[in-house]
Amino acid sequence: MKFRTTIALASVALATALPFGSCKPKSNASAVGGDAAQKAYVAPGKHDEFYNFVSGGFSGQMSVYGLPSGRLLRVIPVFSVDPEKGYGYSEETKGMLTTSHGFTPWDDLHHTQISQTNGETDGRWVFANGNNTPRVARIDLKTFRTAEIIELPNSAGNHSSPYLTENTEYVVAGTRFSVPTDNPDVPINTYKENFKGTISFIGIDKNSGNMDIAFQLQTPGVNFDLASAGKGPSHGWFFFSCYNSEKANTLLEVNASQRDKDFVMAVNWKKAEEYIKAGKGVKKQVKYAHNIYDEKTHSTKSEIRTEVLSLDPTVLKDICYMIPCPKSPHGIDVDPTGEYMVGSGKLAALIPVFSYQKMIKAIEGKQYDGEYDGIPIIKYEAALYGEVPKPGLGPLHTQFDGKGNAYTSFFVSSEVVKWNIKDLKVLDRVPTYYSIGHLMIPGGDSRKPNAKYLVAYNKITKDRYLPTGPELSQSAQIFDISGEKMQLILDFPTIGEPHYAQAIAAEKVSKNSTKIYKIEENEHPRVAKGEGETKVVREGNKVHVYATAIRSHFSPDNIEGIRLGDEVYFHVTNLEQDWDVPHGFAVKGAANAELLIMPGETSTLKWVPDRVGIFPIYCTDFCSALHQEMQGYVRVSPANSNVPLAWSMGTNNGSNTASKAPAGGSTGKAKK
Amino acid sequence: MKKLITSTFVAIAAIAIYACGGGEHKPIPGTEPKGEPTAASTVAAANPKGIGKFQNVEVPAALDHSMADKGEAVSKTKCLSCHKLSDEKLVGPGWKDVTKRRTPEWIMNFITNTEEMLEKDPEAIKSLEICLVRMPNQNLTDEEARQVYEYMRKVDGVK
């Protein structure tokens, strides 16, 4: 902290001494220009220009912010249970978190990627990767819900993911941690012989978006870090940065920093497709889970798969090539023209820019520097377009504005640097608060960036906001990049530790937003379409409650005849057909969460009563002037009790008006 | 900042002149705060047909049984959680004799144009003051609204 402060102070002092036109701020207060507030201001009732989908890091969730206001619009649970929405708690969504390890209720969500058509973001889906128990998720942007999660076999730490090809043909997933793939029980220090990497190409169905692992590449046992798809002329290629070409298995901070250059691995996936057509793929026995949320049945279909098609690039020589890249590269980013691949070494003090055409010529002319584990190494100079000299310290990630400029984040020197791709000259630099990781321009990794704003996602927040104990939120900073110089206009706190993010023009998404689930189309097996269909059914020790919710009551709201030892399943259908009217459902003492049920949806809470007594149920989401009255009671009797199963809208000692002539015939008693 | 405030005031003044001050407060249909009834700012003169697209619904004297049956099915899913067929209030008013009290246009406009009716129609507002729960717009199609009306007629004894 002291050290950082000193650096900050030093740079402030330096900035003060610098002549006019320097972009280092004189102080925090003057870091923001006079009209910055106007540029970030979105009046109440007015909508933002962009949706910003931000990785939630170790929270396992994805957050959605409006740009330029920085308003938090939504938190989408993806890889982690979320009691607010009942995600991972309701019977219907538990299956989304199934892996080959069983129910896996947390992951480390690293990167987000919006689906593309013809190299442009199209607003249909956002993909996200789970780094810990390797998974890729697809979020449907009609509902802003996780629609699908696929696990990755032969992988440990899905990091260079979920990057997409320009027509969303594939989403990729490279393993961060190489592991033994065939015999898992080996000494760790046999890393060099036994540990292998994999790159998975997950095919995406054009219409449904459904994912299916098309093939896996067996690779050397390095650590794959990030990836970027070719586009335009380089469509058909994929580029992966990797570190630990030393293949160290201990103290990597030293032992994986020995070589001056690591690699960018170039993958010709069109060639891989040809080999698969020619039958060169080998089927391997594996075990991984695939989970899809079905919007008709409001339920998850979960299956364990057992086979994956594998290709060996050391045999099929023209799929993979290694390009040396200084030093411990973290990022690789392809520019909008598809010609330039910008590498970055997190320990390097320069930015190497590779040329796609030169790379192809080098391959044709076999300008190799030997092989790395059976994969040809292209000569560095043969693929290099040029280097940006001394741009800053610790380059990480690069985004593009589509006007020939690149913006690179510098972790060590805490800044964003704008430079020209053609002449490799630095044009502008701005400080960040502090230690920037990823950065994002809407469409900044696509063929058509929408370069109005740039957002920096910082790892450290320190003194930016009011202190909140030892832990502080991370911070994001929005820069206006419409002019020649970057201008800071706003910063805002973020959830978890954000990694990559993506943004898209709001109208591409908002016009398709689902407002309700049509109740006529609800095919949940235990739906109650109207109070006339509500009932309670005993199946052995399982009791199924078919309930409905509408402003401002449940049907039934009095349930008796539950016995200790029963498992009670509340299948609650929200009868509303009105936008923004979810109902909540909670039971006292349930070792679970609430349900949050969207209009027209059916959702199920499992409750195992642990004692005899009267248990209130109630609605948790304020729904009307009589929301507080939206409640009921469940009676739990001893295990050997003969209290008959009964449900109703209550009898109020026989004098209640509502019980005399229940609309839709909702009072019922089951035959014993 | 000062500049911003000044220009905001100018903008508001301009809107006020242009829209007579009412325009900015009108909620977008369906986006009013959940459940909290807003004070009706502009109450239209009572129109027995209500406010909405239905201004001339032709209703034959005899009941269309098939239409009424369809209306009953829609009602069971979307209406009868809150309305009873008797004259008793549940969440909303009882349906008994509603087709005698209201025109078909008023009923169908209320079903399909709920937000505006609750905002402007004096009769709908009176109802809200009694029930205090805004009727949800259940997103019925025009056809379904007509079917529900036919079912209401059946309940009211039309043969």
Side-chain angles (χ1 to χ4, degrees):
Chain A
M1 172 63 186
K2 269 238 170 83
F3 179 61
R4 190 180 315 283
T5 314
T6 317
I7 290 179
L9 287 177
S11 56
V12 167
L14 190 65
T16 323
L18 282 173
F20 227 57
S22 157
C23 38
K24 288 270 183 189
K26 291 192 178 82
S27 67
N28 286 352
S30 66
V32 193
D35 60 347
Q38 261 172 318
K39 288 187 168 178
Y41 182 70
V42 179
K46 300 280 184 225
H47 291 179
D48 278 290
E49 296 169 62
F50 294 95
Y51 286 100
N52 186 194
F53 297 93
V54 183
S55 144
F58 45 74
S59 79
Q61 299 168 326
M62 184 188 295
S63 53
V64 187
Y65 290 87
L67 297 181
S69 74
R71 290 167 176 159
L72 176 63
L73 304 176
R74 186 105 197 118
V75 175
I76 306 170
V78 183
F79 297 117
S80 293
V81 294
D82 183 354
E84 184 197 39
K85 303 166 189 83
Y87 180 80
Y89 292 95
S90 74
E91 295 306 297
E92 289 81 359
T93 55
K94 279 178 182 171
M96 291 301 286
L97 300 173
T98 299
T99 71
S100 60
H101 304 272
F103 180 69
T104 311
W106 171 85
D107 214 309
D108 183 10
L109 191 156
H110 266 238
H111 311 116
T112 62
Q113 185 88 27
I114 297 170
S115 57
Q116 293 188 8
T117 305
N118 298 324
E120 277 187 77
T121 53
D122 59 25
R124 293 186 294 166
W125 309 301
V126 190
F127 295 85
N129 63 322
N131 185 36
N132 179 56
T133 305
R135 285 176 268 185
V136 170
R138 178 174 58 87
I139 289 92
D140 191 326
L141 289 185
K142 290 199 296 293
T143 56
F144 281 57
R145 280 180 159 191
T146 304
E148 185 176 6
I149 294 180
I150 196 164
E151 193 187 358
L152 301 159
N154 296 325
S155 178
N158 171 30
H159 200 276
S160 48
S161 181
Y163 298 94
L164 288 166
T165 51
E166 67 176 20
N167 287 304
T168 317
E169 293 98 337
Y170 294 104
V171 57
V172 297
T175 189
R176 170 177 166 190
F177 308 110
S178 287
V179 283
T181 47
D182 294 326
N183 173 19
D185 185 19
V186 297
I188 296 171
N189 68 5
T190 62
Y191 187 105
K192 287 192 170 82
E193 304 95 83
N194 289 323
F195 286 46
K196 293 282 168 213
T198 54
I199 301 271
S200 304
F201 277 74
I202 304 167
I204 310 292
D205 183 272
K206 222 186 272 179
N207 301 313
S208 65
N210 286 344
M211 300 187 282
D212 191 15
I213 301 176
F215 60 91
Q216 273 192 336
L217 299 174
Q218 280 183 59
T219 70
V222 294
N223 294 36
F224 288 102
D225 209 357
L226 284 172
S228 186
K231 47 182 78 98
S234 52
H235 180 60
W237 286 81
F238 227 113
F239 304 91
F240 295 84
S241 60
C242 56
Y243 61 98
N244 194 17
S245 51
E246 297 85 351
K247 291 193 196 153
N249 59 276
T250 182
L251 281 177
L252 264 61
E253 61 175 348
V254 175
N255 293 329
S257 306
Q258 298 296 310
R259 294 167 61 123
D260 189 44
K261 290 192 174 64
D262 288 283
F263 297 113
V264 165
M265 188 170 86
V267 175
N268 185 342
W269 57 263
K270 291 262 187 195
K271 190 57 94 176
E273 283 181 336
E274 284 172 25
Y275 283 127
I276 287 167
K277 262 193 196 151
K280 304 279 186 183
V282 178
K283 281 181 182 166
K284 291 205 164 184
Q285 294 306 302
V286 289
K287 193 178 169 194
Y288 67 97
H290 183 214
N291 317 312
I292 297 183
Y293 186 79
D294 181 331
E295 273 188 27
K296 294 267 190 247
T297 60
H298 304 243
S299 304
T300 302
K301 277 185 214 152
S302 199
E303 61 171 346
I304 295 290
R305 295 190 178 176
T306 54
E307 226 173 49
V308 72
L309 198 62
S310 178
L311 294 177
D312 184 353
T314 62
V315 179
L316 308 166
K317 283 279 185 189
D318 43 3
I319 301 177
C320 291
Y321 302 89
M322 294 300 207
I323 307 172
C325 185
K327 171 178 184 175
S328 300
H330 192 49
I332 175 75
D333 296 283
V334 179
D335 89 312
T337 68
E339 167 58 19
Y340 302 103
M341 296 92 78
V342 179
S344 62
K346 55 186 182 275
L347 303 178
L350 58 83
I351 302 172
V353 181
F354 300 103
S355 153
Y356 171 70
Q357 286 182 43
K358 284 186 78 176
M359 180 195 83
I360 293 295
K361 276 190 192 139
I363 291 169
E364 283 165 2
K366 295 203 182 325
Q367 291 175 277
Y368 297 145
D369 225 348
E371 289 190 342
Y372 181 81
D373 274 19
I375 295 178
I377 301 172
I378 297 171
K379 282 198 163 89
Y380 178 64
E381 289 75 16
L384 189 73
Y385 170 72
E387 292 171 344
V388 184
K390 292 199 180 283
L393 294 179
L396 292 186
H397 309 288
T398 300
Q399 295 273 286
F400 304 94
D401 64 6
K403 300 168 202 159
N405 303 310
Y407 297 72
T408 302
S409 61
F410 287 81
F411 178 80
V412 177
S413 53
S414 283
E415 59 189 335
V416 175
V417 174
K418 175 182 178 180
W419 51 278
N420 183 277
I421 304 170
K422 274 268 144 64
D423 63 19
L424 307 175
K425 284 198 176 124
V426 171
L427 302 171
D428 189 22
R429 59 178 71 233
V430 287
T432 56
Y433 313 112
Y434 302 93
S435 301
I436 179 178
H438 280 271
L439 76 177
M440 185 279 309
I441 289 171
D445 70 337
S446 73
R447 277 167 73 176
K448 293 216 176 128
N450 195 342
K452 195 162 179 189
Y453 304 108
L454 178 149
V455 184
Y457 303 94
N458 306 325
K459 304 294 184 192
I460 307 287
T461 314
K462 295 291 185 195
D463 53 4
R464 297 305 295 169
Y465 309 121
L466 285 173
T468 53
E471 193 191 3
L472 304 170
S473 73
Q474 278 71 23
S475 82
Q477 288 174 268
I478 308 176
F479 297 89
D480 180 329
I481 56 165
S482 56
E484 272 182 35
K485 299 284 176 188
M486 294 176 266
Q487 184 194 0
L488 176 65
I489 59 173
L490 188 74
D491 62 3
F492 61 92
T494 58
I495 290 167
E497 186 218 313
H499 294 264
Y500 196 30
Q502 295 246 290
I504 183 168
E507 71 265 13
K508 283 192 190 176
V509 173
S510 58
K511 62 178 185 215
N512 299 323
S513 204
T514 298
K515 294 191 169 59
I516 58 165
Y517 293 104
K518 284 189 179 155
I519 192 143
E520 297 87 347
E521 293 170 7
N522 182 324
E523 291 172 16
H524 190 288
R526 305 212 190 240
V527 63
K529 294 187 190 181
E531 289 186 358
E533 296 180 9
T534 58
K535 59 187 172 182
V536 181
V537 179
R538 175 178 286 283
E539 295 169 6
N541 75 328
K542 293 184 167 61
V543 176
H544 292 278
V545 179
Y546 296 67
T548 58
I550 196 160
R551 280 166 277 183
S552 319
H553 63 269
F554 294 105
S555 173
D557 64 5
N558 279 200
I559 299 170
E560 304 192 7
I562 309 288
R563 298 192 288 252
L564 212 54
D566 285 346
E567 289 175 1
V568 183
Y569 294 84
F570 294 98
H571 309 282
V572 186
T573 301
N574 181 349
L575 293 175
E576 309 276 356
Q577 291 289 276
D578 192 3
W579 192 20
D580 195 25
V581 191
H583 285 293
F585 180 82
V587 186
K588 185 196 171 195
N592 203 334
E594 64 161 358
L595 298 175
L596 192 64
I597 316 144
M598 298 305 119
E601 186 183 30
T602 303
S603 196
T604 302
L605 186 82
K606 180 183 174 183
W607 174 50
V608 184
D610 69 332
R611 64 194 74 174
V612 167
I614 302 294
F615 293 79
I617 55 173
Y618 73 101
C619 172
T620 53
D621 188 359
F622 192 96
C623 57
S624 77
L626 296 170
H627 159 74
Q628 201 70 359
E629 283 78 356
M630 191 164 175
Q631 63 180 53
Y633 290 105
V634 183
R635 174 183 170 191
V636 176
S637 303
N640 56 359
S641 155
N642 57 5
V643 175
L645 196 64
W647 66 94
S648 68
M649 304 273 274
T651 55
N652 260 3
N653 297 328
S655 64
N656 178 269
T657 50
S659 68
K660 278 187 203 161
S666 63
T667 299
K669 277 190 183 184
K671 283 173 190 154
K672 274 191 79 183
Chain B
M1 193 57 195
K2 206 169 186 184
K3 203 170 168 187
L4 175 67
I5 291 169
T6 317
S7 58
T8 309
F9 276 141
V10 171
I12 288 171
I15 289 163
I17 292 162
Y18 179 69
C20 309
E24 284 293 276
H25 300 291
K26 195 182 147 200
I28 300 159
T31 61
E32 67 282 341
K34 274 196 256 176
E36 290 161 311
T38 47
S41 47
T42 45
V43 177
N47 176 351
K49 293 188 173 182
I51 304 154
K53 71 173 90 154
F54 297 106
Q55 288 307 316
N56 191 19
V57 178
E58 305 233 344
V59 182
L63 190 77
D64 182 328
H65 285 274
S66 122
M67 204 191 276
D69 288 349
K70 284 177 192 156
E72 183 174 3
V74 173
S75 302
K76 278 185 172 169
T77 306
K78 295 190 167 183
C79 313
L80 297 183
S81 300
C82 297
H83 296 282
K84 304 182 83 170
L85 303 180
S86 65
D87 58 5
E88 286 172 275
K89 175 176 101 66
L90 185 56
V91 180
W95 275 7
K96 187 170 164 36
D97 291 339
V98 65
T99 59
K100 295 169 191 167
R101 282 180 280 136
R102 311 274 190 213
T103 65
E105 292 84 359
W106 193 95
I107 291 172
M108 289 170 65
N109 281 330
F110 192 40
I111 291 172
T112 55
N113 188 34
T114 320
E115 295 84 5
E116 194 181 4
M117 286 284 281
L118 286 173
E119 181 104 352
K120 294 179 183 164
D121 182 85
E123 287 298 311
I125 291 165
K126 257 191 237 169
S127 233
L128 178 60
E129 282 165 1
I130 295 166
C131 301
L132 289 174
V133 175
R134 293 176 74 94
M135 184 168 106
N137 184 335
Q138 289 285 69
N139 273 304
L140 271 66
T141 62
D142 294 352
E143 201 184 354
E144 287 170 330
R146 178 67 184 83
Q147 290 161 356
V148 167
Y149 177 73
E150 201 65 9
Y151 175 56
M152 289 170 160
R153 290 218 299 154
K154 184 182 175 185
V155 171
D156 284 343
V158 178
K159 305 266 174 187

